[in-house]
Amino acid sequence: MDRALRSLAAVSLAVALAPAAPAAEAVLQTWHPWQLDSLLVVWALRQASTPAPQFESLPRGTPIPPERAIDTPDSPYRRTGQRTAFEEAVRRSGLAHPCVARLREAVRVVE
């Protein structure tokens, strides 16, 4: 992975794992270890939601209800044949942010 993508991944991780607002109502979950696609889903949902949802990391294979899941087979925010989980989160949330196009390119390279 080149330097720019490593830097993007580090920034994405820091933004995604920053503490959520205390008043957050939703708690979304994914499996550990997180992948770049999962981190960018978190970023997109935090940008698009007020209050920002909280996120939890569970051991791989732990059952997660579909309504709480991100980037798992039963999640509404998952990879499809045409889109990454990040692209699906952007589409479903209606997020219009200047960073989306560059992040979309980066996640497609990594995926």
Side-chain angles (χ1 to χ4, degrees), residues 6-21:
R6 283 194 306 270
S7 178
L8 174 63
V11 168
S12 297
L13 179 61
V15 169
L17 298 180

Side-chain angles (χ1 to χ4, degrees), residues 1-2 4-6 8-9 12 34-44 71 77-80 82-90 99-111:
M1 188 180 325
D2 70 12
L5 284 178
R6 283 194 306 270
L8 174 63
S12 297
W34 289 38
Q35 299 178 4
L36 180 59
D37 205 12
S38 301
L39 294 172
L40 292 178
V41 168
V42 169
W43 177 84
D71 202 13
Y77 310 108
R78 68 178 177 272
R79 294 172 185 91
T80 66
Q82 302 298 317
R83 292 184 199 89
T84 65
F86 170 68
E87 291 169 317
E88 192 62 22
V90 168
C99 293
V100 167
R102 287 196 141 172
L103 294 173
R104 179 181 293 124
E105 291 174 23
V107 76
R108 285 191 162 262
V109 167
V110 172
E111 291 291 311

Side-chain angles (χ1 to χ4, degrees), residues 25-30 45 54-56 58 64-72 74-77:
E25 295 176 13
V27 176
L28 300 177
Q29 301 169 319
T30 193
L45 295 178
Q54 293 182 344
F55 297 89
E56 296 178 340
L58 303 174
I64 300 174
E67 66 276 4
R68 295 183 81 168
I70 58 170
D71 202 13
T72 65
D74 296 328
S75 169
Y77 310 108

